[in-house]
């Protein structure tokens, strides 16, 4: 079970920190990722973090977003800085794997220009 939080309405250039709590075991073993889905578009992977801590980002968020994890709290984070209107979407967390957990409700991020 995944529960995302931390979204909201911000102005362009603002910041948000998203959190995702996993209610299960062995969170530390999973490669995790943040995804987003904008209206009328397919869900896309935004950033991922391997169990060992290595991270990757799509080009459009590189240098602005930071993914991190706290295995003791079973929590995944996404720090988003210098937000742009094109970042507007519902953000989800899940495994970075073919077999995923059930999707949570996500958290809405809206960036106004």
């Amino acid at each position: 079970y995944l529960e995302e939080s931390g979204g909201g309405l911000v102005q362009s250039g603002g910041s948000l920190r998203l959190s995702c709590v996993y209610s299960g075991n062995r969170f530390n073993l999973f490669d995790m990722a943040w995804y987003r889905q904008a209206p009328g578009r397919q869900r896309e992977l935004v950033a991922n973090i391997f169990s060992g801590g290595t991270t990757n980002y799509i080009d459009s968020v590189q240098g602005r977003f930071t993914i991190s994890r706290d295995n003791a709290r079973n929590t995944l984070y996404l720090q988003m800085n210098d937000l742009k209107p094109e970042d507007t979407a519902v953000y989800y967390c899940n495994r970075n794997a073919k077999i995923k957990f059930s999707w949570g409700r996500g958290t809405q991020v809206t960036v106004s220009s």
Side-chain angles (χ1 to χ4, degrees), residues 24-41:
N25 297 318
R26 303 183 180 181
F27 175 76
N28 60 302
L29 299 180
F30 299 122
D31 299 336
M32 297 295 294
W34 282 98
Y35 302 80
R36 67 185 179 188
Q37 186 167 19
R41 301 187 66 176

Side-chain angles (χ1 to χ4, degrees), residues 3-104:
E3 184 171 8
E4 301 93 348
S5 63
L9 172 63
V10 295
Q11 291 187 335
S12 183
S15 297
L16 285 171
R17 187 193 195 204
L18 306 184
S19 299
C20 166
V21 178
Y22 170 66
S23 300
N25 297 318
R26 303 183 180 181
F27 175 76
N28 60 302
L29 299 180
F30 299 122
D31 299 336
M32 297 295 294
W34 282 98
Y35 302 80
R36 67 185 179 188
Q37 186 167 19
R41 301 187 66 176
Q42 287 192 336
R43 189 175 295 168
E44 65 171 349
L45 186 148
V46 174
N48 67 279
I49 183 167
F50 290 99
S51 58
T54 302
T55 59
N56 293 293
Y57 303 89
I58 58 172
D59 288 346
S60 61
V61 308
Q62 180 77 46
R64 300 189 297 121
F65 290 12
T66 302
I67 187 172
S68 61
R69 63 193 300 160
D70 184 339
N71 291 331
R73 290 183 166 82
N74 279 12
T75 302
L76 184 72
Y77 300 102
L78 185 67
Q79 177 67 44
M80 305 187 297
N81 298 328
D82 189 23
L83 282 160
K84 303 178 180 183
E86 52 264 41
D87 296 317
T88 295
V90 179
Y91 284 71
Y92 304 85
C93 65
N94 211 315
R95 294 182 66 188
N96 180 27
K98 278 189 176 182
I99 299 175
K100 292 180 171 49
F101 301 128
S102 296
W103 291 95

